[in-house]
Amino acid sequence: MTRTFVSHWKEALTANYEQTIAWRRHLHQYPEASYEERETARFVADHLISFGIDIQRGVGGQGVVGVIQNGEGPVVALRADMDALNMQDEKDCAYRSKVPGVMHACGHDGHTAVLLSVAKVLAEHRDNWSGEIRFLFQPAEEVSPGGAQAMIGDGAIEGVDSMYGVHLWTPLQAGVIATRTGPMMAAVDDFFLTIYGKGGHGGMPHACIDAVVVGAALVQQLQTIVSRNVSPLQPAVVSVGSLQAGMTQNVIADHAILKGTIRSFDSTTRKLLRERFEKIVEHTCAMYEAHYELEYRVGYPALINDGAEAARVMRVAEACFGADKVQEAEMIMPAEDFAYYLKKVPGCFVLVGAGNGEEARFPHHHPKFDLVESSMLTAGELLLTLALDALQDTI
């Protein structure tokens, strides 16, 4: 891959950069939560049509697939997620969310804008490449069971030879590219547990079964799974994110609700975590003579990058941005339903630095989350160049 080749496509994306920012800011002001991305999908579809790209609506729910086919060659897929989170935007900026209680706090607005820009440039220059490129605009990445499985079920990646996705990532400095061969993001399971005790007067606890005590005991006992059951050499997380019980100071709570998440990388550890979790819940509740109802929701698998495609990403990124901007990613515990695509098609998921330590310093899922918008140009250049490299199959 020559520097002239890279420069040509970078210039085309740069010419569309201001439009990309405008798209992202529009989407940021009008976010839609998982499974509700109707207007976002319409926005995407209308723009793809205006680029002269064939589309399919309603893929896997609210998903949109755009296709450019130009002669014979491999089939390459690029994916962006479209959904926002149910949380209040607390930033002070011109493009702050106008939808109460809904916010793009993870960068999916940027992902959508980037893929629109890439699609526009590739459509305008389709005579310069041959093969097929599919643009997957996916709903519902944030909430299990997610949109990836539904899009796969609707045939979105049928016949695809390779696939790529990016995540604008504020823990990394803007301009940095990071990925790795093999496991990169964790498998995730969630639990929703209701403990039923026996309520009563706060001054007569002996006549009650205190759900607060049972819940507190469980929070403590569940921490022993990772510390005492899982090998220290295997990454794992058990986190209770919510414990809700009681209404006032002098009433023993008759029930408590615990919600949390369990994360791992390999199937053996994942199975062990569930077994120990269920056993601890059963016996702790029995010890206090409480009853319970448990929903254990099996979520996304671990995201595992294909070795050859990860090598392609490293090579292409170094050609585009220089070796000093490319690094091996750490294994991280956040989950991604892009993992489902990678179980079906060789591909790679990539973190693109979008932080700067200033306004873009807040972590993902934070009410003041924002990103360095120039990172969208980096992500677009990487995705576009990866697609063209895969079409040439120069790996």
Side-chain angles (χ1 to χ4, degrees):
M1 182 184 300
T2 66
R3 290 191 176 275
T4 302
F5 175 88
V6 171
S7 177
H8 168 76
W9 294 103
K10 183 174 183 177
E11 290 172 2
L13 284 167
T14 301
N16 198 53
Y17 177 54
E18 293 302 321
Q19 182 64 77
T20 306
I21 292 176
W23 288 333
R24 183 254 168 169
R25 293 187 176 187
H26 170 82
L27 293 169
H28 199 87
Q29 291 179 81
Y30 300 99
E32 294 177 299
S34 303
Y35 304 101
E36 299 176 3
E37 308 93 337
R38 287 174 287 276
E39 292 304 317
T40 303
R42 183 177 293 113
F43 179 89
V44 166
D46 289 348
H47 279 86
L48 292 175
I49 291 170
S50 75
F51 305 155
I53 295 175
D54 296 330
I55 70 161
Q56 183 179 357
R57 304 174 192 258
V59 183
Q62 304 296 339
V64 179
V65 176
V67 179
I68 308 177
Q69 193 165 17
N70 188 42
E72 298 296 322
V75 181
V76 179
L78 306 175
R79 175 270 211 168
D81 37 16
M82 302 187 294
D83 55 327
L85 288 153
N86 287 305
M87 57 189 299
Q88 185 64 37
D89 192 346
E90 296 181 3
K91 291 191 303 299
D92 182 16
C93 65
Y95 49 88
R96 179 179 175 178
S97 172
K98 295 183 178 181
V99 182
V102 185
M103 174 193 177
H104 272 294
C106 202
H108 297 187
D109 52 338
H111 302 166
T112 300
V114 165
L115 195 55
L116 279 175
S117 185
V118 170
K120 182 175 187 291
V121 170
L122 286 169
E124 290 171 344
H125 298 271
R126 68 179 75 200
D127 291 341
N128 293 335
W129 55 270
S130 61
E132 180 181 322
I133 301 180
R134 294 185 200 171
F135 306 95
L136 275 61
F137 292 86
Q138 180 201 306
E141 187 278 329
E142 293 287 1
V143 178
S144 179
Q149 289 188 95
M151 292 196 78
I152 292 169
D154 281 351
I157 60 171
E158 187 174 338
V160 168
D161 296 300
S162 59
M163 185 166 182
Y164 310 97
V166 299
H167 203 306
L168 299 171
W169 197 244
T170 58
L172 291 176
Q173 190 73 13
V176 173
I177 305 293
T179 194
R180 66 182 294 120
T181 294
M184 188 172 84
M185 301 181 76
V188 57
D189 300 321
D190 296 320
F191 61 86
F192 303 85
L193 173 66
T194 302
I195 300 164
Y196 297 102
K198 180 181 177 183
H201 197 291
M204 302 175 67
H206 61 287
C208 307
I209 298 173
D210 192 341
V212 171
V213 171
V214 184
L218 271 172
V219 171
Q220 293 295 319
Q221 292 300 320
L222 291 174
Q223 302 312 305
T224 66
I225 298 175
V226 173
S227 67
R228 290 297 177 267
N229 298 130
V230 177
S231 166
L233 303 179
Q234 291 293 335
V237 165
V238 177
S239 292
V240 178
S242 174
L243 169 55
Q244 301 171 334
M247 297 296 292
T248 191
Q249 87 284 357
N250 61 348
V251 177
I252 300 293
D254 65 351
H255 74 281
I257 299 172
L258 282 77
K259 303 175 185 178
T261 190
I262 297 178
R263 300 180 183 235
S264 56
F265 281 95
D266 72 277
S267 58
T268 300
T269 301
R270 192 178 195 182
K271 181 173 181 287
L272 171 65
L273 289 167
R274 179 171 186 172
E275 290 174 349
R276 292 300 301 148
F277 176 88
E278 291 178 344
K279 189 66 70 175
I280 287 172
V281 169
E282 176 188 356
H283 287 280
T284 302
C285 287
M287 181 173 65
Y288 289 98
E289 299 184 318
H291 303 283
Y292 68 93
E293 290 181 358
L294 171 64
E295 178 188 0
Y296 194 97
R297 188 178 297 169
V298 177
Y300 307 157
L303 186 147
I304 302 174
N305 285 324
D306 178 80
E309 293 301 339
R312 185 198 301 275
V313 169
M314 292 290 196
R315 174 173 54 77
V316 167
E318 289 182 7
C320 289
F321 312 110
D324 61 320
K325 295 294 185 181
V326 182
Q327 63 186 44
E328 183 178 41
E330 296 180 343
M331 294 167 66
I332 56 176
M333 283 298 178
E336 239 292 347
D337 74 346
F338 194 85
Y340 288 115
Y341 300 118
L342 295 178
K343 289 174 75 70
K344 301 285 187 180
V345 176
C348 190
F349 195 67
V350 190
L351 303 177
V352 176
N356 64 2
E358 297 174 7
E359 70 276 4
R361 69 183 184 277
F362 296 99
H364 295 256
H365 296 208
H366 189 282
K368 291 187 178 181
F369 174 85
D370 206 352
L371 52 82
V372 176
E373 290 182 316
S374 63
S375 64
M376 295 191 295
L377 191 58
T378 304
E381 184 179 348
L382 179 65
L383 280 177
L384 188 150
T385 314
L386 279 171
L388 295 174
D389 192 86
L391 288 178
Q392 295 176 22
D393 199 23
T394 57
I395 201 166

